[in-house]
Amino acid sequence: MKRICLIATGGTIACVQTEQGFVPGLSGRELLARVPDLGDVAAIDVQQIMNIDSSEMQVSDWRSIARAVFGAAEAYDGVVITHGTDTMCYTAAALSFMLSDLRIPVVLTGAQRPLLLEDSDAVNNLRDACAVAVYGEAGVSIVFNHKIIHGSRAFKMYSKNDDAYVSRNYPYLGKIENGQVIWQHHAKIQRGQPRLFVSLNENVALLKLTPASNPSALDYVAKYGFSGVVIEGFGTGGIANLNRGMAQGIRRLTEERRMPVLMISQCPYDGVNLAVYGIGEQAAKAGVIPGNDMTTETAVVKLMWALGKTQNMSEIAGLLESNICDEITGERKIQPAD
Ligand code: ASP
């Protein structure tokens, strides 16, 4: 029989009603006990590594999850991680970078309503996640509402709807129909030995621009000890007030402080291309690194990862612009569905 390691971390799926509202209370074992037919799919062992609302998830928790997955990878056919939906995309992106050349599926799932509620979406999501852990392809994914989404491409679109996540700028990896896993897109094949990298540098700021943004926000980033910043700009690469001090503000970071400035778009789809407009070209000249079509979650995590690898600015730029785990489109060939 196939073997799954279920790593339980909390989230709505595990919530119980309290006077303070929903609070994670069920253990991973208790979740499994309420869906006994999961035992028909695989023999499932549980590791409870925390039981928290995912809003409280820290970078150190990503490390604990990554270590647990890495430790389980030898002995199991797949890993399922139950997790709160709110920051699941950050954790999925983080695991995509921290765990390379995985040989097994690592599947995050959760629910919009606690498993204990009658109309919960938890049971379907758990069943689907276990099916993907056993029959899916290697790598990190989110399985939710019958969809399989690449770990570095997921975006939480709805705070209540069962169909909470979309795959941004990347094909869905597949779907689950009546318990059957239908794999539709094969992500990059990695061939090295499985590796664990946990030295993320968490001192990354995220700055969402508005037309009123001014360089003082960048100076704040410099003053308060950040190591790098992700700027969410406009459209294909617009930066507010570039000619009214913003370009100099960026230079103070990139040239004087040797701090990477990675730019992504506020538009959910298509991403940035700094070559399109004069404003984008000026941003590039000031040292902005284009984040192409990455999600915010992935851009933040990738910058943490690159800063954890090196302090050399050109190496950081090279890492950010390389396609490590399908977080940047462009180089891959989409293969036809099976
Ligand atoms: N606040 C919850 C969490 O992220 C939401 C959920 O799981 O759906 O832990």
Short mmCIF file of all heavy atoms in Angstrom, two decimals, residues 283-308:
data_model
loop_
_atom_site.label_atom_id
_atom_site.label_comp_id
_atom_site.label_asym_id
_atom_site.label_seq_id
_atom_site.Cartn_x
_atom_site.Cartn_y
_atom_site.Cartn_z
N ALA A 283 13.35 52.96 -14.92
CA ALA A 283 13.38 52.13 -13.70
C ALA A 283 14.50 51.11 -13.80
O ALA A 283 15.26 50.90 -12.85
CB ALA A 283 12.03 51.44 -13.51
N ALA A 284 14.62 50.50 -14.98
CA ALA A 284 15.68 49.50 -15.17
C ALA A 284 17.05 50.15 -15.00
O ALA A 284 17.96 49.58 -14.39
CB ALA A 284 15.55 48.85 -16.54
N LYS A 285 17.19 51.38 -15.55
CA LYS A 285 18.48 52.08 -15.42
C LYS A 285 18.80 52.41 -13.97
O LYS A 285 19.96 52.47 -13.58
CB LYS A 285 18.45 53.37 -16.25
CG LYS A 285 18.69 53.10 -17.71
CD LYS A 285 19.12 54.37 -18.45
CE LYS A 285 19.24 54.06 -19.93
NZ LYS A 285 18.24 54.75 -20.74
N ALA A 286 17.76 52.62 -13.17
CA ALA A 286 17.98 52.91 -11.74
C ALA A 286 18.32 51.62 -10.97
O ALA A 286 18.61 51.68 -9.78
CB ALA A 286 16.75 53.58 -11.15
N GLY A 287 18.25 50.50 -11.66
CA GLY A 287 18.68 49.24 -11.02
C GLY A 287 17.56 48.30 -10.65
O GLY A 287 17.79 47.28 -10.00
N VAL A 288 16.32 48.63 -11.08
CA VAL A 288 15.20 47.75 -10.74
C VAL A 288 15.34 46.43 -11.50
O VAL A 288 15.64 46.41 -12.69
CB VAL A 288 13.87 48.45 -11.12
CG1 VAL A 288 12.72 47.45 -11.12
CG2 VAL A 288 13.58 49.58 -10.14
N ILE A 289 15.12 45.33 -10.80
CA ILE A 289 15.18 43.99 -11.42
C ILE A 289 13.75 43.57 -11.76
O ILE A 289 12.87 43.59 -10.88
CB ILE A 289 15.79 42.96 -10.44
CG1 ILE A 289 17.19 43.41 -10.02
CG2 ILE A 289 15.82 41.56 -11.05
CD1 ILE A 289 17.70 42.72 -8.75
N PRO A 290 13.48 43.21 -13.02
CA PRO A 290 12.11 42.83 -13.37
C PRO A 290 11.72 41.47 -12.83
O PRO A 290 12.47 40.50 -12.97
CB PRO A 290 12.13 42.81 -14.91
CG PRO A 290 13.56 42.58 -15.27
CD PRO A 290 14.41 43.14 -14.17
N GLY A 291 10.56 41.42 -12.19
CA GLY A 291 10.08 40.14 -11.64
C GLY A 291 9.14 39.43 -12.60
O GLY A 291 8.46 38.49 -12.20
N ASN A 292 9.11 39.90 -13.84
CA ASN A 292 8.26 39.29 -14.87
C ASN A 292 6.84 39.06 -14.36
O ASN A 292 6.21 39.99 -13.89
CB ASN A 292 8.90 38.02 -15.43
CG ASN A 292 10.23 38.35 -16.09
OD1 ASN A 292 10.50 39.51 -16.39
ND2 ASN A 292 11.05 37.36 -16.33
N ASP A 293 6.35 37.83 -14.42
CA ASP A 293 4.94 37.63 -14.05
C ASP A 293 4.76 36.87 -12.74
O ASP A 293 3.78 36.18 -12.54
CB ASP A 293 4.19 36.93 -15.19
CG ASP A 293 4.77 35.57 -15.51
OD1 ASP A 293 5.66 35.11 -14.76
OD2 ASP A 293 4.32 34.95 -16.48
N MET A 294 5.71 37.05 -11.83
CA MET A 294 5.59 36.38 -10.54
C MET A 294 4.42 36.93 -9.72
O MET A 294 4.10 38.11 -9.80
CB MET A 294 6.85 36.60 -9.71
CG MET A 294 7.98 35.67 -10.04
SD MET A 294 9.29 35.80 -8.82
CE MET A 294 10.35 36.99 -9.60
N THR A 295 3.85 36.07 -8.89
CA THR A 295 2.88 36.55 -7.90
C THR A 295 3.65 37.33 -6.83
O THR A 295 4.87 37.16 -6.67
CB THR A 295 2.15 35.38 -7.20
OG1 THR A 295 3.13 34.60 -6.49
CG2 THR A 295 1.42 34.50 -8.19
N THR A 296 2.92 38.12 -6.06
CA THR A 296 3.56 38.85 -4.95
C THR A 296 4.20 37.88 -3.97
O THR A 296 5.34 38.07 -3.54
CB THR A 296 2.49 39.68 -4.20
OG1 THR A 296 1.88 40.56 -5.14
CG2 THR A 296 3.10 40.47 -3.06
N GLU A 297 3.46 36.83 -3.65
CA GLU A 297 3.96 35.86 -2.66
C GLU A 297 5.28 35.26 -3.13
O GLU A 297 6.25 35.15 -2.37
CB GLU A 297 2.93 34.73 -2.46
CG GLU A 297 1.64 35.15 -1.78
CD GLU A 297 0.60 35.71 -2.76
OE1 GLU A 297 0.95 36.07 -3.90
OE2 GLU A 297 -0.58 35.79 -2.37
N THR A 298 5.31 34.88 -4.41
CA THR A 298 6.52 34.25 -4.93
C THR A 298 7.67 35.25 -5.02
O THR A 298 8.82 34.92 -4.73
CB THR A 298 6.21 33.60 -6.29
OG1 THR A 298 5.29 32.54 -6.05
CG2 THR A 298 7.45 33.04 -6.95
N ALA A 299 7.36 36.48 -5.42
CA ALA A 299 8.43 37.49 -5.52
C ALA A 299 9.08 37.73 -4.15
O ALA A 299 10.30 37.80 -4.02
CB ALA A 299 7.86 38.79 -6.09
N VAL A 300 8.24 37.85 -3.12
CA VAL A 300 8.77 38.09 -1.77
C VAL A 300 9.64 36.91 -1.33
O VAL A 300 10.77 37.09 -0.86
CB VAL A 300 7.59 38.32 -0.77
CG1 VAL A 300 8.07 38.25 0.67
CG2 VAL A 300 6.92 39.66 -1.05
N VAL A 301 9.12 35.71 -1.54
CA VAL A 301 9.86 34.52 -1.11
C VAL A 301 11.14 34.35 -1.94
O VAL A 301 12.21 34.01 -1.41
CB VAL A 301 8.96 33.27 -1.24
CG1 VAL A 301 9.77 32.00 -1.18
CG2 VAL A 301 7.89 33.28 -0.17
N LYS A 302 11.04 34.62 -3.24
CA LYS A 302 12.23 34.40 -4.08
C LYS A 302 13.34 35.38 -3.70
O LYS A 302 14.53 35.04 -3.72
CB LYS A 302 11.88 34.54 -5.56
CG LYS A 302 12.99 34.02 -6.47
CD LYS A 302 12.60 34.00 -7.91
CE LYS A 302 13.70 33.33 -8.75
NZ LYS A 302 13.45 33.42 -10.18
N LEU A 303 12.93 36.61 -3.35
CA LEU A 303 13.95 37.57 -2.91
C LEU A 303 14.57 37.12 -1.58
O LEU A 303 15.79 37.22 -1.39
CB LEU A 303 13.33 38.98 -2.81
CG LEU A 303 14.28 40.13 -2.50
CD1 LEU A 303 15.52 40.14 -3.39
CD2 LEU A 303 13.55 41.48 -2.61
N MET A 304 13.75 36.61 -0.67
CA MET A 304 14.30 36.07 0.59
C MET A 304 15.30 34.94 0.30
O MET A 304 16.34 34.83 0.95
CB MET A 304 13.17 35.49 1.47
CG MET A 304 12.23 36.50 2.04
SD MET A 304 10.94 35.63 2.98
CE MET A 304 10.06 37.02 3.69
N TRP A 305 14.93 34.11 -0.64
CA TRP A 305 15.76 32.95 -1.01
C TRP A 305 17.08 33.42 -1.64
O TRP A 305 18.17 32.97 -1.26
CB TRP A 305 14.94 32.08 -1.95
CG TRP A 305 15.65 30.99 -2.69
CD1 TRP A 305 15.93 29.74 -2.24
CD2 TRP A 305 16.14 31.05 -4.03
NE1 TRP A 305 16.57 29.02 -3.21
CE2 TRP A 305 16.71 29.80 -4.32
CE3 TRP A 305 16.15 32.03 -5.02
CZ2 TRP A 305 17.29 29.51 -5.56
CZ3 TRP A 305 16.71 31.75 -6.25
CH2 TRP A 305 17.27 30.50 -6.50
N ALA A 306 16.98 34.39 -2.59
CA ALA A 306 18.20 34.87 -3.27
C ALA A 306 19.12 35.57 -2.27
O ALA A 306 20.34 35.36 -2.29
CB ALA A 306 17.82 35.82 -4.41
N LEU A 307 18.54 36.36 -1.37
CA LEU A 307 19.34 37.05 -0.36
C LEU A 307 19.96 36.05 0.63
O LEU A 307 21.00 36.33 1.23
CB LEU A 307 18.48 38.06 0.41
CG LEU A 307 18.17 39.36 -0.34
CD1 LEU A 307 16.99 40.09 0.31
CD2 LEU A 307 19.39 40.28 -0.36
N GLY A 308 19.30 34.93 0.80
CA GLY A 308 19.86 33.89 1.67
C GLY A 308 21.02 33.17 1.01
O GLY A 308 21.84 32.54 1.69
#
